[in-house]
Each structure stands twice: as structure tokens, then as C-alpha cells.
Amino acid sequence: MSSSTLHPMLNVAIRAARAAGAIINRAALDVEAVRISQKQVNDFVTEVDHASEAAIIETLLTAYPQHAIHAEESGRTHGNQTSDHIWIIDPLDGTTNFIHGFPVYCVSIALSVRGRIEQAVVYDPTRNDLFTATRGRGAYLNERRIRVSKRTQLNQSLIATGFPFRKGDDFPTYLKMMSDVMQRTAGLRRPGAAALDLAYVAAGYTDGYFETGLKPWDVAAGSLLVTEAGGLIGNFTGEAEFIEQQECLAANPRIYGHLVGLLRKYSKFNAASLPAGTPSEPAASDTEEPSEGADQA
């Protein structure tokens, strides 16, 4: 799709993402000179995050001054917070990778309209890869239509994940999840940038992805890429309302069903929905089809 055929708001988001990417690429030439601070243990922010976010917000609000902003670093301090149009921004997803010179990070921008993600951009400045989607119009990588993979067997699938890294994260439970998935798949990968992980599911580079502890700016844009590429996304029980739940599972439709079967028992929403005394075992086998409605994120 050429820029002339894209939705105007998507065009503005692309312009914002590329502006941020230029800032990130310049800083990457001398990453050791970048000033770094720590928000909490193992959770870093750099001057590049702040400069990237400022460039994105300026571009978006210049075009749409009445829209709201929900950004990772500045929160909800910009724009008109009563607007139905909310830009959800991660200016540098994969900051830890960036400060080590590990070239897996991206810019993520999504537009939510009355609670639904309508536009999405995930931009990888190291490869100049631009993933875009408009609701109802498909997902694209550099103007080429993308689709989720066609694999149907979990033992042939490559699955991405993210490791817990914050103080208080439930490491023992994650290790059990990882063990369950690793023993049943062709491989497990941890690239370190959730928005790019979701974009890779959309492009068919991986067959599925799961992670806990994510924020809306980590998953908003990627969620639309996945569904517009024919995939499913939800929480570990397969329910679609996941963006605020810090529990994300995405895959092609058949692999999604398999992963729900494996991961449902680890969902914080599974036990809460069961009558008292009911064991919280997975209700799905490795051959279960995905839940209805799980692509409505």
C-alpha cells in the first residue's frame, strides 16, 4: 500500500515512528554515550526514550491536537484526555537491548478509538522494517501484505516469549510455563521487545508468543497487527479483553488453541472464574481449537 492509499491517521503515525527511529539510530552510533537511569530493578530508561517519545507526541499532536496521549514515559500528561481518540505509545520497546547494543528494539504506536485499536505501527529502525495495520484493511510489512504462519502442529512451531525481570515477578510459575512449552515445541525464543514479538507473529516468523507483566503500550499496536494478519490474541484463557490484564497470548489460530490448552492453568483469570474448590486444570487439549471471539482485541 502506498502512502496515498493509507488512512490519514496511519500516515501520521508512520511519520512519527520514522522520526523517532531516526533519533534512535543516531544514538545507536555511540550507545555508550547515552545517559541511562533506572526506574526500578532491571527496568531502564534513557534520554533516547524521552527524545523519541517527545518527537512522536509532537508529530501526533501537531496533526491532531484534540487527541489524547497515553505514553510509557510521560503517561497521560499530553493531549486532550477526554478524547475518544487515544494514541498509545512505546517510544523504545527493548531499551535494555538498546543500551547493550543488541539490535532488537522498536517504536510502537497505536490509535485507540472508543476502546478499540484502529491503527498500528511497529517500526524496527535497525532493519528499517515498518509493520502497519488499519482495522479491516490487513497488516503489512514494508507495503507487503503479511499473514500469520500456517503451521498446525505445536511440535513444529517456533514460539517467542519474554522472561520476567522485575522484583516481585513470579519466576517459579514462569519456569513451569516455559518447561511446558519448551518440551512441546520446535523452539522457544526470547528476543526482548514485546511489540516486535507480536509483529513477528503477524509476519509468520514465529508461530506464537506469550508473556506476562506487559503494559498497554507494549501490546496495543502489535495486537492489531496479529488480528489483521489472521491471528488470534488474548489472555491465557483465550479471552479477548487482555490489553489491561498483563497477560498476553498470540498465535495463528491452530497454535493459539494448543497454547491456550497449555497455559490456561497458569492464568490469573482462570482460577477466579471457577467455583470454590474446583481444581484449576487446563480445559483444553493440544488439539483444541481457539476460542470464539479471541480475535476481537
Side-chain angles (χ1 to χ4, degrees), residues 152-157 159 184-186 255 258-259 262 286:
T152 60
Q153 300 301 313
L154 198 56
N155 63 8
Q156 298 174 0
S157 297
I159 306 299
R184 293 169 172 83
T185 60
I255 300 304
H258 297 330
L259 290 173
L262 281 178
D286 271 3

Side-chain angles (χ1 to χ4, degrees), residues 152-202:
T152 60
Q153 300 301 313
L154 198 56
N155 63 8
Q156 298 174 0
S157 297
L158 184 64
I159 306 299
T161 188
F163 301 153
F165 60 90
R166 299 176 185 87
K167 185 178 181 180
D169 284 346
D170 188 350
F171 290 94
T173 297
Y174 176 77
L175 291 173
K176 291 177 184 176
M177 283 193 288
M178 189 170 70
S179 175
D180 277 356
V181 174
M182 285 182 71
Q183 294 179 65
R184 293 169 172 83
T185 60
L188 194 62
R189 299 289 183 268
R190 200 279 190 181
L196 208 51
D197 289 334
L198 290 170
Y200 280 12
V201 171

